[in-house]
Amino acid sequence: MASAPVLVTRRLPEEAIARLTASCEVTLWQEERPMPRARLLADSAGKAAIITLLSDRVDDELLEAAGAGLRIVANYAVGVDNVDLAACSRRAVMVANTPDVLTEATADMAWALVMAAARRVAEGDRVLRAGSAWVWGPEMMLGREVYGKTLGIVGFGRIGRAVARRAGGFGMRVLAAERSGGAAGAGGAAGTGGAAGTGGAGGEVEWLPLDDLLAASDFVSLHVNLSDETRHLLDRERLARMRPTAVLVNTSRGPVVDEAALAEALSAGRLFAAGLDVFEAEPHVHPDLLSHPRVVLTPHLGSATVDTRRAMGILAVDNVLEALAGRRPPALVNEDAFRRPKA
Ligand code: GLV
Ligand code: GLV
């Protein structure tokens, strides 16, 4: 049997590419930028599998361009908001993602932002680099205490639960948002809400309606998937429920927060600080967030460790190899596409 043609839309860690190349005919986009749309469409033609990044939109147009031989789209991410799942299922194209392997790294990143925003780490770094005069003072650059405070987790899936486990070491009270109206839950690929009251590591979790959680939390960390229900979940009204001393952390997807409303709340002193790893229109960052001293910014680095990125690469490749062998990919998202025979 001739080896199957596979498109990979960015260089993945070497081990993953080597594994794929061993049994497939790989077309690899080598540049460190997303494939231009026209090139993506052209290079998809005739492929049996495509490994996509979260910056690649997978929709009817792309599926059409790929043609009837396409079996699987393996997203190199846990989030699949860039993929039109219904369109893939309609054509019996399997969609897979990379859950679990990035849970702990992303939870660490959320905590890095909690700590950095609470204790003004990036701001302090900038003060020193600017060569500004400074002297230790009782009221110099005061931040917010983390130990013993209340952490509200919105989206209690795999990553939300991993963030909660870490809170045990900080003696925190942990709140999780109830999925009232389907709005606040993790849902779908990033993991569904876990069993109530299981924070792990001996931690107790209290479930509250989202609005009550926002009012009661010193720190709010977002871990929902992006969907129609979670777009602008933290809008102007919800941000106004947060405490003026609170810190908001987002490592999920940028559009979950209304960035303009967040920038306003920060400027007006209605929120202490924010730690943001994701943005509404990446790579663009709202200018008022860029200029606010107590906003800590990282360029979508949630899963960006050597170990995790390697594991994501291996899992994405395994998803492809299993699908091409006619078996169920280990991280299949749309079950119906596997069961339904190809037309
Ligand atoms: C990254 O944001 C991911 O969804 O894996
Ligand atoms: C501060 O540096 C302290 O020792 O309290």
Side-chain angles (χ1 to χ4, degrees):
M1 190 184 84
S3 60
V6 178
L7 173 64
V8 183
T9 69
R10 196 77 63 84
R11 261 188 295 121
L12 303 180
E14 189 48 45
E15 202 181 326
I17 290 295
R19 192 173 177 122
L20 190 62
T21 310
S23 60
C24 298
E25 185 198 315
V26 177
T27 303
L28 178 62
W29 176 250
Q30 294 277 2
E31 295 182 33
E32 279 306 321
R33 62 179 177 118
M35 284 182 92
R37 184 72 182 173
R39 182 68 187 269
L40 174 62
L41 295 176
D43 283 6
S44 294
K47 296 298 185 289
I50 309 178
I51 296 183
T52 48
L53 267 54
L54 50 88
S55 42
D56 301 316
R57 200 175 69 251
V58 179
D59 54 9
D60 270 315
E61 183 188 39
L62 177 65
L63 298 171
E64 192 63 43
L70 184 66
R71 308 266 291 281
I72 181 168
V73 171
N75 212 36
Y76 184 76
V78 67
V80 287
D81 48 281
N82 58 308
V83 180
D84 183 339
L85 290 175
C88 290
S89 288
R90 268 198 306 275
R91 294 165 191 259
V93 171
M94 286 179 268
V95 177
N97 64 345
T98 60
D100 301 316
V101 293
L102 49 60
T103 298
E104 304 301 335
T106 307
D108 285 348
M109 193 66 198
W111 269 95
L113 292 173
V114 164
M115 301 300 286
R119 299 304 302 275
R120 306 173 71 165
V121 171
E123 190 184 355
D125 182 90
R126 282 193 301 272
V127 164
L128 293 182
R129 286 176 203 277
S132 318
W134 67 281
V135 60
W136 192 96
E139 296 198 289
M140 182 204 180
M141 288 193 70
L142 303 187
R144 295 285 157 192
E145 197 83 17
V146 176
Y147 191 89
K149 298 292 183 182
T150 298
L151 171 64
I153 297 181
V154 181
F156 209 63
R158 287 176 285 248
I159 298 169
R161 289 197 298 271
V163 169
R165 281 197 300 278
R166 286 156 174 72
F170 290 88
M172 295 178 101
R173 175 184 178 211
V174 179
L175 311 177
E178 285 168 2
R179 308 183 61 175
S180 54
T192 48
T198 57
E204 284 289 305
V205 170
E206 299 165 48
W207 291 81
L208 288 183
L210 176 59
D211 287 348
D212 296 342
L213 174 145
L214 294 173
S217 297
D218 300 299
F219 297 87
V220 172
S221 193
L222 305 177
H223 302 286
V224 291
N225 285 327
L226 178 61
S227 67
D228 290 343
E229 277 96 53
T230 62
R231 193 173 299 275
H232 282 196
L233 182 65
L234 265 73
D235 57 9
R236 183 167 279 102
E237 202 176 294
R238 290 233 169 82
L239 288 166
R241 292 183 182 275
M242 291 181 66
R243 300 174 169 192
T245 51
V247 172
L248 176 68
V249 166
N250 189 9
T251 53
S252 63
R253 283 293 183 269
V256 173
V257 178
D258 180 340
E259 276 183 2
L262 173 61
E264 264 177 48
L266 286 159
S267 304
R270 285 187 272 107
L271 207 59
F272 179 71
L276 306 173
D277 189 46
V278 289
F279 306 94
E280 272 201 79
E282 293 175 18
H284 176 78
V285 180
H286 194 292
D288 295 346
L289 295 174
L290 281 175
S291 62
H292 195 287
R294 288 198 305 279
V295 177
V296 180
L297 303 162
T298 48
H300 206 145
L301 297 178
S303 64
T305 71
V306 173
D307 290 350
T308 289
R309 288 290 165 83
R310 185 190 299 122
M312 288 167 66
I314 298 293
L315 179 51
V317 167
D318 283 350
N319 281 327
V320 166
L321 297 180
E322 289 300 290
L324 295 183
R327 293 185 292 262
R328 188 185 182 286
L332 179 64
V333 173
N334 58 345
E335 214 43 68
D336 54 343
F338 178 58
R339 298 222 179 95
R340 187 164 3 131
K342 291 235 19 149

